[in-house]
Amino acid sequence: MFKFLLKTSSVVILVGLLASCGTTSTTVGLIKVVGKEQPERNSYWIKVEDLGENPEEVRLKVNNENTWNLILEGEIYAVSYETRTITPESLHQ
């Protein structure tokens, strides 16, 4: 019984700690590519319009040039992407 309570308590504490970090969110859905950018060498970005319930334009970083080259402007893609929110607290870490 003691081992069960110890494991349960550990899981609850771990989930609480992870939930308190809340500066990253994952979005899954359909996007339409509205533009492509390469502001500097080895830096690849796309501007997309999120076609979900709350349409918004987002700028996403693409991990490599090959993937960036395959993405076509005006096309619709199903994607999963992560966004990070910068808070004043995260700047002091």
Side-chain angles (χ1 to χ4, degrees):
M1 182 67 173
F2 177 73
K3 287 183 181 181
F4 176 75
L5 289 175
L6 182 61
K7 287 180 183 180
T8 304
S9 299
S10 298
V11 169
V12 169
I13 290 171
L14 181 61
V15 169
L17 287 173
L18 291 174
S20 68
C21 296
T23 59
T24 303
S25 66
T26 301
T27 302
V28 177
L30 294 175
I31 59 158
K32 180 178 180 181
V33 178
V34 295
K36 294 171 67 173
E37 302 174 354
Q38 186 182 7
E40 56 190 53
R41 186 177 169 98
N42 296 325
S43 177
Y44 309 99
W45 295 83
I46 57 174
K47 286 184 182 178
V48 302
E49 181 182 331
D50 185 350
L51 301 177
E53 292 179 13
N54 301 316
E56 62 179 330
E57 194 169 290
V58 181
R59 189 171 173 246
L60 302 174
K61 183 174 184 179
V62 179
N63 290 335
N64 64 58
E65 182 180 14
N66 292 333
T67 304
W68 186 76
N69 284 330
L70 292 172
I71 297 170
L72 302 174
E73 288 186 41
E75 291 294 317
I76 296 175
Y77 297 94
V79 297
S80 169
Y81 60 92
E82 203 172 84
T83 55
R84 294 190 183 125
T85 304
I86 298 175
T87 61
E89 294 82 26
S90 67
L91 294 175
H92 299 293
Q93 294 179 355

